[in-house]
Amino acid sequence: MKNWKRAAAIAGVVLLLLVFCLPMVFAFGDSDGSQAAFRGALAAAILVPVMAYIFLLGFRFFGRKKNVQETNRMIENIIFDVGKVLVEFGWEAYLKSYGFSEEKYEKIADATFRNQIWNERDRGLYEEEEYLRQFCAEAPEYAEDIREVMRRSPETIHAFDYAETWVKYLKNQGYHLYILSNYSNYMLERNKGEMPFLKYMDGVVFSCQVQELKPEPGIYQKLLSLYDLQPEKSVFLDDRAENCRGAEAFGIHTIQFRDFKQAAAELEKLGVK
């Protein structure tokens, strides 16, 4: 390949030199034919380099993009969890901002964010009011506070500083990007402003849309079949070990996310740069 490129470059240089020298051959002729040939050769000496430059720019732009996308990579698809990977889920600081007593804080936390109901809410089987009723039933003495805490619960979500830049970079490198995340309808409708990275995704599966949760097998199968993904060409990033194991059962490479630098380093080991 290198020899072919070198030969093409030499041939191009020789051709350009000939084009530049050609006008001189006709410059001193006296006949009408010589003058016409001179003008034609001069025009060629100007147009050929310009066209060559335009062709080179086009090749660099379109050729590079094609090469990035068509490279035979080990990993072609990168699948992201959202919470604690691309966005911060800071429920502890949020709940503490209410200034509750320690006892009240613990009871409300146990009734809501630390409760299995919170996870089931991500399945999206019922309207939000039903989940509120269930939360309140866990600590009825604090029902009014629980309703207010849940009403403002989207405030627990904030995009990490690196999230959009990271996703955009990977997209520009030619990777196909996807979301696979447990998320409730209520939170999703109110948090899209904190997810600017969604516009770079080739596909999205949220649990509330398919009524299945990670690490249940069905949600992974839906992602793979919906977007026709090859598991062995895919890597999944999630902060929870059990969710990673669920993906591994389908032959998907996984990275248990701890922080951006750790995840980027592990992606690089898989050839993702």
Side-chain angles (χ1 to χ4, degrees):
M1 179 64 77
K2 289 184 178 179
N3 291 336
W4 178 86
K5 289 182 177 179
R6 188 179 296 111
I10 292 172
V13 170
V14 171
L15 178 62
L16 287 174
L17 287 173
L18 289 175
V19 170
F20 277 118
C21 292
L22 194 59
M24 301 304 297
V25 176
F26 304 105
F28 302 103
D30 294 329
S31 66
D32 292 339
S34 295
Q35 292 303 308
F38 170 75
R39 287 192 294 271
L42 184 62
I46 296 172
L47 289 175
V48 168
V50 171
M51 295 303 296
Y53 181 70
I54 292 173
F55 177 81
L56 180 60
L57 286 179
F59 177 80
R60 284 182 175 179
F61 179 77
F62 294 106
R64 182 185 303 167
K65 188 173 182 180
K66 183 178 180 181
N67 288 339
V68 168
Q69 294 178 342
E70 292 184 356
T71 300
N72 186 21
R73 292 165 158 168
M74 175 182 176
I75 298 297
E76 294 178 356
N77 313 305
I78 304 175
I79 307 164
F80 292 95
D81 178 29
V82 173
K84 298 187 177 182
V85 176
L86 296 177
V87 303
E88 179 184 9
F89 177 41
W91 72 264
E92 295 97 336
Y94 162 74
L95 190 55
K96 286 178 180 178
S97 72
Y98 281 87
F100 297 141
S101 67
E102 183 176 351
E103 180 185 0
K104 188 173 182 179
Y105 171 92
E106 292 296 332
K107 285 192 174 182
I108 291 178
D110 287 341
T112 56
F113 299 108
R114 294 198 293 237
N115 199 297
Q116 182 58 28
I117 299 168
W118 176 269
N119 297 326
E120 279 299 316
R121 183 178 181 228
D122 291 343
R123 196 184 296 275
L125 293 179
Y126 307 111
E127 295 296 325
E128 180 64 13
E129 181 58 32
E130 171 58 22
Y131 292 112
L132 284 174
R133 187 194 64 76
Q134 293 180 31
F135 287 135
C136 292
E138 295 291 306
E141 67 274 30
Y142 298 126
E144 185 176 343
D145 292 303
I146 287 172
R147 282 184 172 275
E148 178 62 13
V149 166
M150 289 296 97
R151 183 184 70 81
R152 294 176 50 200
S153 58
E155 295 176 23
T156 60
I157 301 297
H158 301 285
F160 286 123
D161 293 339
Y162 60 77
E164 184 176 8
T165 302
W166 189 24
V167 166
K168 183 178 179 181
Y169 168 77
L170 293 170
K171 185 69 174 179
N172 288 340
Q173 292 301 104
Y175 294 99
H176 303 295
L177 309 180
Y178 301 89
I179 291 290
L180 182 64
S181 182
N182 289 348
Y183 228 95
S184 73
N185 282 308
Y186 182 82
M187 298 288 281
L188 184 59
E189 289 169 2
R190 290 157 179 78
N191 282 152
K192 287 186 177 178
E194 292 292 338
M195 301 183 190
F197 45 80
L198 287 179
K199 60 179 174 285
Y200 301 107
M201 297 297 160
D202 295 286
V204 173
V205 172
F206 285 109
S207 60
C208 61
Q209 298 169 337
V210 296
Q211 287 76 55
E212 295 194 65
L213 301 172
K214 295 176 298 180
E216 296 168 357
I219 195 168
Y220 302 98
Q221 185 59 60
K222 276 187 170 64
L223 178 75
L224 294 174
S225 59
L226 184 60
Y227 299 108
D228 195 25
L229 304 185
Q230 294 178 271
E232 67 277 9
K233 292 278 190 178
S234 308
V235 60
F236 176 50
L237 292 84
D238 196 293
D239 63 298
R240 294 187 176 184
E242 62 270 27
N243 294 343
C244 289
R245 289 193 293 270
E248 288 167 0
F250 285 87
I252 301 170
H253 301 275
T254 64
I255 294 173
Q256 186 175 354
F257 186 94
R258 293 190 296 276
D259 58 61
F260 168 67
K261 289 185 178 179
Q262 165 261 334
E266 293 197 37
L267 280 174
E268 189 168 347
K269 291 178 183 177
L270 295 173
V272 177
K273 300 179 181 179

